[in-house]
């Protein structure tokens, strides 16, 4: 009898969770997925580094000058990519929120974090991709406890979206970073191969924790970031082509890994967001006037804004907020194209809106849950 009551409790709780208003909506439509989990670096970090002993921490003005709560750890004047990827409510950083907020999803991203554990070590504490996966394992176990068992939790987690963007710091704070020797050990081709081999193992771990809808972001043109143009010097393209070439080696190998993961796990859907292509669009056509300089005051040879300085007033006309991160205006346009691709090359085999709509029986072999 006790076993029967426990089973009914799990079923009832699952129905209540599904029918509740999760607020993960696209463009004001009905909820599409129950939760969103995010892994990444400073492009996604929404406050995880605020509690860490690190130099990679956007904890002061002018960061957050346009954000309702001020400086919260986002490397932006306002919202960052993680905030505007297609869902309404902010996803809380790991370790924050009330006792059940994690049911809606968690943002694990950490400024300075990388695919390799050694990446960003000179910056101080950070959550590497391996540590972010460990943190997710903790959350997954809490969800299993909340729902009454691992089987129900796995079905639930299989309907969530997982957004993963990682690799920038492996180049900027490792391979090409000052004080690092990876470029003396590996050629760009070898380093890209090391990264994607490690990344594949990490994505496999994510799959084993119940992820079935995974959007993996490629790398943008790091050679066009203002600080790195200043440090390395621009080529005829007005960017640093050796940096852009390096990340394209990574992106090309990553696409093959995504195809391999889909072939090996037919019940899952991995998709590649072509960030490099999206980042290559004509900024002038989008209304941006300043593309090679941050909006805030950035000291020579550095990336972050100088503390307590006055930023530019025409923020919507700037692509970059500081030496390497987008303004909210640019992040919104980028995220819109990642969510709903403008061209087939932007995302494949799915964009994020399509990934959210993958039928339940296609995602995990069952159709237990129905969103309303």
């Amino acid at each position: 009898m006790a076993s029967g009551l426990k089973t009914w409790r799990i079923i009832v709780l699952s129905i209540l969770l599904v029918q509740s208003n999760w607020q993960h909506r696209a463009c004001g439509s009905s909820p599409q997925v129950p939760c969103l989990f995010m892994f990444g670096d400073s492009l996604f970090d929404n406050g995880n580094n605020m509690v860490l002993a690190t130099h990679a921490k956007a904890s002061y003005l002018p960061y957050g000058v346009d954000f309702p709560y001020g400086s919260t750890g986002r490397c932006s004047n306002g919202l960052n990519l993680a905030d505007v990827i297609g869902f309404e409510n902010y996803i809380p950083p790991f370790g924050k929120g009330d006792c059940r907020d994690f049911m809606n999803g968690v943002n694990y991203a950490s400024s300075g974090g990388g695919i390799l554990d050694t990446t960003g070590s000179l910056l101080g504490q950070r959550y590497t991709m391996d540590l972010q996966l460990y943190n997710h394992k903790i959350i997954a176990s809490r969800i299993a406890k909340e729902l009454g068992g691992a089987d129900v939790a796995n079905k639930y987690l299989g309907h969530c979206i997982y957004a993963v963007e990682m690799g920038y710091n492996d180049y900027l704070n490792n391979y090409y970073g000052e004080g690092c020797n990876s470029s003396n050990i590996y050629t760009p081709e070898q380093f890209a191969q090391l990264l994607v081999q490690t990344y594949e193992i990490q994505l496999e771990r994510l799959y084993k924790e119940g992820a079935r809808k995974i959007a993996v972001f490629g790398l943008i043109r790091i050679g066009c970031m203002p600080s790195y143009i200043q440090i390395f010097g621009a080529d005829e393209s007005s960017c640093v082509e050796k940096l852009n070439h390096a990340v394209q080696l990574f992106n090309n190998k990553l696409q093959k890994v995504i195809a391999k993961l889909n072939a090996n796990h037919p019940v899952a859907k991995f998709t590649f967001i072509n960030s490099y292509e999206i980042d290559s669009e004509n900024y002038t056509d989008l209304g941006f006037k300043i593309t090679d300089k941050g909006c805030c005051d950035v000291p020579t040879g550095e990336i972050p804004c100088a503390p307590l300085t006055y930023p530019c007033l025409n923020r919507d006309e700037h692509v970059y907020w500081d030496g390497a991160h987008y303004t909210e205006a640019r992040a919104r346009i980028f995220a819109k194209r990642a969510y709903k691709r403008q061209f087939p090359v932007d995302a494949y085999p799915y964009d994020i809106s399509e990934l959210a709509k993958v039928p339940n029986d296609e995602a995990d072999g069952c159709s237990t849950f129905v969103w309303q």
Side-chain angles (χ1 to χ4, degrees):
M1 182 65 178
S3 176
L5 287 174
K6 183 178 181 181
T7 301
W8 277 107
R9 174 184 175 274
I10 293 171
I11 293 172
V12 171
L13 183 56
S14 300
I15 293 172
L16 289 174
L17 285 169
V18 169
Q19 291 182 337
S20 63
N21 184 12
W22 286 112
Q23 298 296 313
H24 297 318
R25 305 166 185 258
C27 303
S29 63
S30 298
Q32 291 182 304
V33 295
C35 43
L36 172 63
F37 294 100
M38 316 195 84
F39 303 78
D41 47 41
S42 56
L43 296 186
F44 273 17
D45 187 353
N46 66 345
N48 285 300
N49 275 30
M50 295 289 275
V51 298
L52 301 180
T54 176
H55 294 295
K57 185 188 303 186
S59 58
Y60 55 86
L61 290 172
Y63 287 105
V65 66
D66 297 317
F67 192 73
Y69 307 109
S71 302
T72 57
R74 292 166 169 84
C75 294
S76 172
N77 59 301
L79 304 179
N80 66 10
L81 277 175
D83 296 315
V84 295
I85 210 162
F87 302 88
E88 281 186 0
N89 284 6
Y90 306 135
I91 302 300
F94 176 73
K96 293 191 177 181
D98 65 34
C99 60
R100 293 188 72 256
D101 274 355
F102 58 83
M103 295 298 297
N104 294 354
V106 175
N107 185 330
Y108 305 101
S110 174
S111 300
I115 295 170
L116 303 179
D117 287 342
T118 55
T119 289
S121 59
L122 298 180
L123 297 172
Q125 293 180 331
R126 71 270 178 235
Y127 293 120
T128 64
M129 184 61 182
D130 281 337
L131 285 176
Q132 290 179 41
L133 288 168
Y134 179 80
N135 290 341
H136 180 62
K137 190 178 182 69
I138 294 173
I139 295 298
S141 67
R142 291 179 181 174
I143 290 175
K145 184 176 181 180
E146 187 76 20
L147 295 180
D151 290 342
V152 177
N154 283 337
K155 290 181 179 179
Y156 175 79
L157 290 169
H159 292 273
C160 304
I161 292 287
Y162 298 77
V164 187
E165 64 84 21
M166 193 67 90
Y168 298 101
N169 289 304
D170 294 289
Y171 284 100
L172 301 178
N173 288 298
N174 190 330
Y175 194 76
Y176 292 110
E178 185 178 353
C180 302
N181 67 345
S182 295
S183 60
N184 296 325
I185 301 173
Y186 304 100
T187 66
E189 177 80 24
Q190 291 170 336
F191 190 69
Q193 187 62 33
L194 172 65
L195 290 181
V196 296
Q197 286 177 342
T198 307
Y199 210 8
E200 180 180 358
I201 294 171
Q202 293 166 340
L203 292 172
E204 286 276 7
R205 287 173 58 191
L206 187 57
Y207 169 83
K208 290 177 181 178
E209 287 297 331
R212 294 297 181 267
K213 298 183 178 186
I214 306 103
V216 183
F217 287 67
L219 302 184
I220 63 173
R221 301 175 303 161
I222 62 175
C224 298
M225 295 175 174
S227 287
Y228 294 99
I229 292 176
Q230 187 180 79
I231 292 170
F232 291 97
D235 303 316
E236 292 180 1
S237 65
S238 299
C239 296
V240 186
E241 281 309 306
K242 74 172 184 178
L243 298 184
N244 288 342
H245 175 69
V247 300
Q248 276 294 65
L249 291 174
F250 171 85
N251 286 338
N252 292 337
K253 292 178 184 295
L254 179 58
Q255 292 175 57
K256 295 177 182 178
V257 166
I258 298 300
K260 179 181 176 182
L261 290 168
N262 279 325
N264 291 344
H265 304 294
V267 298
K269 292 293 174 285
F270 291 83
T271 196
F272 178 75
I273 306 299
N274 194 347
S275 301
Y276 195 98
E277 180 66 25
I278 297 173
D279 187 51
S280 300
E281 56 192 336
N282 190 310
Y283 289 143
T284 303
D285 291 346
L286 297 173
F288 294 105
K289 297 180 180 179
I290 299 93
T291 65
D292 59 352
K293 184 178 184 297
C295 172
C296 71
D297 182 21
V298 178
T300 302
E302 297 186 17
I303 292 175
C305 303
L308 304 178
T309 53
Y310 289 99
C312 68
L313 297 178
N314 57 335
R315 296 189 271 276
D316 288 350
E317 296 179 352
H318 278 254
V319 171
Y320 292 97
W321 165 245
D322 56 14
H325 303 96
Y326 287 152
T327 57
E328 177 181 329
R330 175 56 184 143
R332 284 186 178 279
I333 295 174
F334 184 102
K336 183 177 180 180
R337 193 164 156 184
Y339 182 79
K340 187 69 174 179
R341 54 187 165 187
Q342 183 176 346
F343 304 105
V345 72
D346 291 348
Y348 40 87
Y350 304 99
D351 60 30
I352 296 176
S353 71
E354 293 166 335
L355 188 64
K357 296 174 184 176
V358 172
N360 297 335
D361 56 349
E362 190 178 345
D364 64 6
C366 67
S367 55
T368 305
F369 299 129
V370 179
W371 311 136
Q372 296 181 353

